[in-house]
Amino acid sequence: MVATTLLMAALAQDAGTLIQTCGTVVRSTAKDLDGDIELYEFRPGRDALRRVSLDLVDGGFCTPLEPGMWVAKASGISVMQDDLLSTSHWVVSSRFTVPAASPLTLTVPREAKRTFVVKDAWGRAVAGRLNVFDVIDDLTTPIWNAPLDARGRAVAGLLPDGEFEIRIEHDEDREFHVERRMLGPGDTLVTLVVERPRSVSFRALGPDGAAGDRLMVDGERVDCISGLCRVRAPAGATSLIIEDRHGADALVQLPAKPGDLTLPPVKLAAKQEATVRVLGK
Protein backbone atom coordinates (compact mmCIF):
# COMPACT_ATOMS: atom_id res chain seq x y z
CA MET A 1 0.00 0.00 0.00
CA VAL A 2 2.88 2.38 0.88
CA ALA A 3 4.70 1.47 -2.33
CA THR A 4 1.56 2.15 -4.38
CA THR A 5 1.14 5.56 -2.79
CA LEU A 6 4.80 6.45 -3.44
CA LEU A 7 4.49 5.35 -7.08
CA MET A 8 1.39 7.53 -7.59
CA ALA A 9 3.14 10.50 -6.00
CA ALA A 10 6.11 9.98 -8.35
CA LEU A 11 3.80 9.86 -11.37
CA ALA A 12 2.09 13.06 -10.26
CA GLN A 13 5.45 14.79 -9.83
CA ASP A 14 6.78 13.64 -13.23
CA ALA A 15 3.59 14.61 -15.09
CA GLY A 16 3.66 18.11 -13.68
CA THR A 17 0.01 18.84 -14.37
CA LEU A 18 -1.33 15.83 -12.43
CA ILE A 19 -2.42 16.27 -8.83
CA GLN A 20 -2.62 13.49 -6.28
CA THR A 21 -6.34 13.09 -5.47
CA CYS A 22 -7.59 10.83 -2.70
CA GLY A 23 -11.03 10.01 -1.41
CA THR A 24 -13.12 7.72 0.75
CA VAL A 25 -16.52 6.09 0.42
CA VAL A 26 -18.44 5.90 3.70
CA ARG A 27 -21.80 4.72 4.93
CA SER A 28 -23.16 5.35 8.40
CA THR A 29 -25.17 2.11 8.62
CA ALA A 30 -22.63 -0.23 7.02
CA LYS A 31 -18.94 0.55 7.47
CA ASP A 32 -17.66 -2.53 5.68
CA LEU A 33 -17.90 -1.75 1.95
CA ASP A 34 -16.42 -3.62 -0.98
CA GLY A 35 -16.40 -2.20 -4.48
CA ASP A 36 -14.68 -0.11 -7.13
CA ILE A 37 -14.72 3.45 -8.41
CA GLU A 38 -14.57 5.03 -11.85
CA LEU A 39 -13.48 8.63 -12.41
CA TYR A 40 -14.67 10.56 -15.46
CA GLU A 41 -13.57 13.91 -16.81
CA PHE A 42 -16.69 16.11 -16.92
CA ARG A 43 -17.13 18.12 -20.11
CA PRO A 44 -20.48 19.99 -20.34
CA GLY A 45 -22.40 19.31 -23.52
CA ARG A 46 -20.27 16.28 -24.43
CA ASP A 47 -20.01 12.66 -23.33
CA ALA A 48 -17.82 12.14 -20.29
CA LEU A 49 -14.43 10.54 -21.04
CA ARG A 50 -13.48 7.74 -18.65
CA ARG A 51 -9.97 8.16 -17.37
CA VAL A 52 -9.45 6.01 -14.27
CA SER A 53 -10.91 2.75 -12.92
CA LEU A 54 -9.81 1.71 -9.41
CA ASP A 55 -10.59 -0.79 -6.67
CA LEU A 56 -11.64 0.60 -3.32
CA VAL A 57 -9.26 -0.46 -0.54
CA ASP A 58 -10.84 -0.16 2.90
CA GLY A 59 -13.32 2.27 1.32
CA GLY A 60 -10.58 4.55 -0.03
CA PHE A 61 -8.71 5.39 -3.23
CA CYS A 62 -5.82 7.56 -4.42
CA THR A 63 -4.78 8.50 -7.96
CA PRO A 64 -3.17 11.41 -9.84
CA LEU A 65 -5.70 13.46 -11.85
CA GLU A 66 -5.54 16.45 -14.17
CA PRO A 67 -6.98 19.73 -12.79
CA GLY A 68 -10.60 20.36 -13.74
CA MET A 69 -14.10 19.02 -13.15
CA TRP A 70 -14.53 15.28 -12.57
CA VAL A 71 -17.30 12.80 -11.81
CA ALA A 72 -16.77 9.93 -9.40
CA LYS A 73 -19.00 6.85 -9.68
CA ALA A 74 -18.54 4.14 -7.09
CA SER A 75 -20.44 0.87 -6.71
CA GLY A 76 -20.18 -2.31 -4.70
CA ILE A 77 -21.70 -4.55 -2.04
CA SER A 78 -22.42 -3.88 1.62
CA VAL A 79 -20.97 -6.54 3.89
CA MET A 80 -23.33 -5.52 6.73
CA GLN A 81 -27.09 -5.11 6.18
CA ASP A 82 -28.56 -3.57 9.30
CA ASP A 83 -30.58 -1.03 7.32
CA LEU A 84 -33.94 -2.53 6.33
CA LEU A 85 -34.49 0.07 3.59
CA SER A 86 -31.25 -0.80 1.81
CA THR A 87 -30.11 -3.59 -0.47
CA SER A 88 -26.71 -5.26 -0.48
CA HIS A 89 -25.78 -3.44 -3.71
CA TRP A 90 -24.99 0.27 -3.57
CA VAL A 91 -24.11 3.05 -6.01
CA VAL A 92 -22.93 6.58 -5.27
CA SER A 93 -21.74 9.40 -7.53
CA SER A 94 -20.56 12.97 -7.15
CA ARG A 95 -19.00 15.84 -9.07
CA PHE A 96 -15.79 17.32 -7.72
CA THR A 97 -13.06 19.72 -8.78
CA VAL A 98 -9.33 18.98 -8.84
CA PRO A 99 -7.52 20.39 -6.86
CA ALA A 100 -10.31 22.01 -4.81
CA ALA A 101 -11.81 18.77 -3.41
CA SER A 102 -9.15 16.49 -1.96
CA PRO A 103 -9.66 14.45 0.07
CA LEU A 104 -13.07 13.67 -1.44
CA THR A 105 -15.76 11.97 0.67
CA LEU A 106 -18.60 10.06 -1.03
CA THR A 107 -21.49 9.00 1.17
CA VAL A 108 -23.45 5.94 0.10
CA PRO A 109 -27.15 6.94 0.15
CA ARG A 110 -30.00 5.01 1.66
CA GLU A 111 -32.45 3.49 -0.77
CA ALA A 112 -36.16 3.78 -0.08
CA LYS A 113 -39.41 2.58 -1.62
CA ARG A 114 -40.93 5.62 -3.31
CA THR A 115 -44.48 6.17 -4.57
CA PHE A 116 -44.96 8.80 -7.28
CA VAL A 117 -48.40 10.42 -7.66
CA VAL A 118 -49.00 12.54 -10.76
CA LYS A 119 -52.00 14.89 -10.90
CA ASP A 120 -53.06 17.92 -12.88
CA ALA A 121 -53.78 21.37 -11.45
CA TRP A 122 -57.33 20.29 -10.52
CA GLY A 123 -56.39 17.06 -8.74
CA ARG A 124 -57.22 14.66 -11.56
CA ALA A 125 -54.98 11.63 -12.12
CA VAL A 126 -52.64 11.89 -15.10
CA ALA A 127 -52.11 8.94 -17.43
CA GLY A 128 -48.79 8.35 -19.14
CA ARG A 129 -45.28 7.22 -18.28
CA LEU A 130 -42.83 8.42 -15.61
CA ASN A 131 -39.05 8.43 -16.16
CA VAL A 132 -36.43 9.16 -13.48
CA PHE A 133 -32.90 10.32 -14.42
CA ASP A 134 -29.86 10.84 -12.20
CA VAL A 135 -28.72 14.46 -12.72
CA ILE A 136 -25.10 13.38 -12.20
CA ASP A 137 -25.44 11.12 -15.24
CA ASP A 138 -25.79 12.14 -18.88
CA LEU A 139 -29.60 12.42 -18.66
CA THR A 140 -30.12 10.15 -21.66
CA THR A 141 -30.90 6.84 -19.93
CA PRO A 142 -33.44 6.66 -17.07
CA ILE A 143 -32.37 4.82 -13.94
CA TRP A 144 -36.02 3.82 -13.47
CA ASN A 145 -39.29 4.20 -15.39
CA ALA A 146 -42.81 2.86 -15.21
CA PRO A 147 -46.31 3.51 -16.58
CA LEU A 148 -48.74 5.49 -14.43
CA ASP A 149 -51.81 3.54 -13.34
CA ALA A 150 -55.43 4.73 -13.41
CA ARG A 151 -54.81 6.71 -10.21
CA GLY A 152 -51.74 8.42 -11.66
CA ARG A 153 -49.40 6.34 -9.48
CA ALA A 154 -46.12 4.48 -10.03
CA VAL A 155 -44.17 2.69 -7.29
CA ALA A 156 -40.39 2.31 -7.36
CA GLY A 157 -39.12 -0.63 -5.33
CA LEU A 158 -35.87 1.08 -4.25
CA LEU A 159 -34.52 4.45 -5.35
CA PRO A 160 -31.51 6.06 -3.63
CA ASP A 161 -31.32 9.54 -2.14
CA GLY A 162 -30.10 12.32 -4.38
CA GLU A 163 -31.13 14.85 -7.02
CA PHE A 164 -33.16 13.49 -9.90
CA GLU A 165 -34.80 14.78 -13.06
CA ILE A 166 -38.34 13.45 -13.44
CA ARG A 167 -39.91 13.43 -16.89
CA ILE A 168 -43.57 12.58 -17.42
CA GLU A 169 -44.90 11.64 -20.84
CA HIS A 170 -48.57 12.40 -20.32
CA ASP A 171 -51.71 11.96 -22.34
CA GLU A 172 -51.91 15.40 -23.96
CA ASP A 173 -50.53 15.04 -27.48
CA ARG A 174 -47.35 13.36 -26.21
CA GLU A 175 -46.35 16.42 -24.21
CA PHE A 176 -43.69 16.29 -21.49
CA HIS A 177 -43.55 17.59 -17.95
CA VAL A 178 -40.01 17.93 -16.57
CA GLU A 179 -38.86 18.92 -13.09
CA ARG A 180 -35.97 18.25 -10.73
CA ARG A 181 -36.39 16.95 -7.21
CA MET A 182 -33.99 16.33 -4.32
CA LEU A 183 -35.12 13.08 -2.68
CA GLY A 184 -34.11 12.10 0.84
CA PRO A 185 -34.89 9.09 3.06
CA GLY A 186 -38.19 10.62 4.19
CA ASP A 187 -39.47 11.28 0.66
CA THR A 188 -41.42 8.08 0.22
CA LEU A 189 -44.47 9.81 -1.33
CA VAL A 190 -43.62 12.18 -4.19
CA THR A 191 -46.46 14.24 -5.69
CA LEU A 192 -46.05 15.96 -9.03
CA VAL A 193 -48.48 18.45 -10.60
CA VAL A 194 -48.76 18.58 -14.40
CA GLU A 195 -50.25 21.58 -16.20
CA ARG A 196 -52.54 20.38 -18.99
CA PRO A 197 -54.95 22.20 -21.28
CA ARG A 198 -58.71 21.90 -20.83
CA SER A 199 -61.15 20.55 -23.36
CA VAL A 200 -64.03 23.03 -23.60
CA SER A 201 -67.23 22.43 -25.60
CA PHE A 202 -69.95 24.97 -26.48
CA ARG A 203 -72.59 25.63 -29.16
CA ALA A 204 -72.11 28.50 -31.61
CA LEU A 205 -75.44 29.74 -33.04
CA GLY A 206 -76.26 32.37 -35.65
CA PRO A 207 -79.02 35.02 -35.24
CA ASP A 208 -81.63 32.68 -36.71
CA GLY A 209 -80.62 29.88 -34.35
CA ALA A 210 -78.77 28.01 -37.08
CA ALA A 211 -75.62 26.23 -36.01
CA GLY A 212 -72.23 27.76 -36.75
CA ASP A 213 -69.75 25.34 -38.26
CA ARG A 214 -66.31 26.98 -38.37
CA LEU A 215 -64.05 28.54 -35.77
CA MET A 216 -60.47 29.79 -35.76
CA VAL A 217 -58.36 29.29 -32.62
CA ASP A 218 -54.86 30.82 -32.65
CA GLY A 219 -54.89 30.75 -36.45
CA GLU A 220 -55.96 27.12 -36.70
CA ARG A 221 -59.36 26.02 -37.94
CA VAL A 222 -61.66 24.11 -35.59
CA ASP A 223 -64.54 22.28 -37.22
CA CYS A 224 -67.83 22.18 -35.38
CA ILE A 225 -70.49 19.49 -35.75
CA SER A 226 -74.07 20.81 -35.76
CA GLY A 227 -72.83 23.90 -33.98
CA LEU A 228 -71.08 21.94 -31.20
CA CYS A 229 -67.49 23.18 -31.08
CA ARG A 230 -64.60 21.95 -28.97
CA VAL A 231 -61.47 23.96 -28.22
CA ARG A 232 -58.47 23.43 -25.96
CA ALA A 233 -57.68 26.12 -23.43
CA PRO A 234 -54.50 26.29 -21.29
CA ALA A 235 -54.71 25.17 -17.67
CA GLY A 236 -54.70 28.77 -16.40
CA ALA A 237 -57.38 30.05 -18.78
CA THR A 238 -60.31 31.82 -17.10
CA SER A 239 -62.53 32.65 -20.08
CA LEU A 240 -62.98 32.58 -23.85
CA ILE A 241 -64.09 35.40 -26.15
CA ILE A 242 -65.76 34.32 -29.39
CA GLU A 243 -65.94 36.99 -32.11
CA ASP A 244 -67.31 36.98 -35.68
CA ARG A 245 -66.62 39.33 -38.60
CA HIS A 246 -69.70 41.44 -37.88
CA GLY A 247 -68.39 42.54 -34.54
CA ALA A 248 -70.60 40.32 -32.41
CA ASP A 249 -68.77 38.71 -29.55
CA ALA A 250 -69.56 36.57 -26.55
CA LEU A 251 -67.62 36.12 -23.32
CA VAL A 252 -67.63 32.54 -22.06
CA GLN A 253 -66.52 32.16 -18.43
CA LEU A 254 -64.83 28.86 -17.61
CA PRO A 255 -65.91 27.09 -14.41
CA ALA A 256 -63.29 26.57 -11.73
CA LYS A 257 -63.45 22.79 -12.07
CA PRO A 258 -62.36 21.23 -15.36
CA GLY A 259 -63.76 18.44 -17.40
CA ASP A 260 -65.15 17.98 -20.86
CA LEU A 261 -67.29 21.06 -20.35
CA THR A 262 -70.46 21.81 -22.28
CA LEU A 263 -71.10 25.53 -21.87
CA PRO A 264 -74.22 27.59 -22.71
CA PRO A 265 -74.88 28.50 -26.38
CA VAL A 266 -72.92 31.39 -27.86
CA LYS A 267 -75.01 33.80 -30.00
CA LEU A 268 -73.18 35.31 -32.98
CA ALA A 269 -74.30 37.96 -35.49
CA ALA A 270 -73.91 35.69 -38.47
CA LYS A 271 -73.46 32.03 -39.33
CA GLN A 272 -69.84 32.21 -40.42
CA GLU A 273 -66.29 31.93 -39.19
CA ALA A 274 -65.63 33.12 -35.67
CA THR A 275 -62.37 33.65 -33.75
CA VAL A 276 -61.71 32.44 -30.24
CA ARG A 277 -59.42 34.39 -27.90
CA VAL A 278 -58.27 32.86 -24.63
CA LEU A 279 -57.96 35.05 -21.51
CA GLY A 280 -56.07 34.44 -18.29
CA LYS A 281 -53.32 32.21 -19.69
Side-chain angles (χ1 to χ4, degrees), residues 143-170:
I143 62 172
W144 178 80
N145 64 86
L148 298 167
D149 64 17
R151 296 185 298 168
R153 291 176 174 253
V155 180
L158 287 172
L159 277 182
D161 303 341
E163 186 179 4
F164 300 96
E165 182 170 290
I166 303 171
R167 304 177 192 172
I168 302 167
E169 306 170 48
H170 57 86

Side-chain angles (χ1 to χ4, degrees), residues 69-85:
M69 182 74 75
W70 290 77
V71 175
K73 296 184 179 180
S75 61
I77 299 175
S78 302
V79 178
M80 299 172 58
Q81 296 187 42
D82 55 356
D83 185 352
L84 297 178
L85 290 179

